[in-house]
Amino acid sequence: SAAALRASDRLLCRLEREVQCREAAQDASGAHRSRAAAVATERSAASARRLLAQGLCARGRQAEAEPLWRRCAADEELRLGPHHARTLATLDGLAACVAASSGSEEADLLHCHSYLGKEATLGPHHPSTLASANNFAACLYARGNVDGAGEIYSHIVAGARRTLGPDNPQVLTSLSGLATCVADQGLVED
């Protein structure tokens, strides 16, 4: 509804101001605060940026969200390392943003990096790894790589059934993706 959109816009404006305030506090905290206080301020600014990026993407404003996602990813990679679960989750957000705005090959690479990083860090059957694999497969499918998407969906279904159970929504989503790939490959009759 129109009222909900206006409320959402007001919330995004408040988040933008919050990001600006927290970044200003982060800049000012350099020599005047302890290292612990500076880290807390940095984390606070990063959380506000992430929330703003998510909100902008939800409103279809990927062009505004993408630089925020990129900054979050770069900051988290420096602070936490490239294989930390939070860094990889941020890569998922950036990949989804890039895919929604341009559907570029970069989105494929970001999804792939997140998926492989989570597989190495969390294990191949962790729910977050399976979700990233599903995002990667969907991205490949959207760009016309039906065979690659089908392979990943097959892998997801096998692992997710074992880990999450046959009736889990993630299993059913991946089964749907696999069925679409198989149908597109002409491996089944109508």
Side-chain angles (χ1 to χ4, degrees):
S1 76
L5 290 176
R6 284 192 302 275
S8 176
D9 283 339
R10 284 192 303 272
L11 178 62
L12 287 176
C13 285
R14 279 194 294 241
L15 273 171
E16 286 176 30
R17 285 193 302 272
E18 185 70 23
V19 167
Q20 291 167 352
C21 288
R22 290 181 186 196
E23 286 177 346
Q26 182 180 357
D27 292 341
S29 71
H32 305 302
R33 289 189 169 171
S34 69
R35 176 70 183 137
V39 168
T41 303
E42 179 183 328
R43 285 184 186 154
S44 176
S47 293
R49 269 193 300 278
R50 174 188 274 277
L51 285 172
L52 179 57
Q54 289 170 336
L56 290 169
C57 282
R59 291 296 308 276
R61 295 166 56 184
Q62 281 77 14
E64 296 169 71
E66 187 176 329
L68 293 168
W69 279 120
R70 288 188 187 284
R71 179 149 180 214
C72 287
D75 289 350
E76 288 173 0
E77 187 168 334
L78 282 174
R79 193 174 76 242
L80 303 171
H83 300 293
H84 191 278
R86 178 78 170 192
T87 304
L88 297 169
T90 298
L91 281 181
D92 279 334
L94 173 59
C97 182
V98 169
S101 65
S102 64
S104 70
E105 187 175 309
E106 182 186 13
D108 294 354
L109 295 173
L110 289 166
H111 276 303
C112 181
H113 182 76
S114 175
Y115 163 49
L116 294 176
K118 286 181 179 181
E119 189 173 57
T121 303
L122 303 173
H125 304 299
H126 189 279
S128 186
T129 303
L130 297 170
S132 290
N134 198 74
N135 293 340
F136 180 40
C139 200
L140 289 177
Y141 180 83
R143 291 184 31 79
N145 186 346
V146 177
D147 292 338
E151 273 185 52
I152 294 171
Y153 280 130
S154 294
H155 172 73
I156 298 167
V157 169
R161 274 186 175 159
R162 203 172 28 253
T163 305
L164 304 173
D167 297 327
N168 183 279
Q170 178 139 359
V171 174
L172 300 175
T173 298
S174 297
L175 272 172
S176 175
L178 178 58
T180 301
C181 289
V182 169
D184 284 357
Q185 291 168 330
L187 300 175
V188 294
E189 295 179 18
D190 290 332

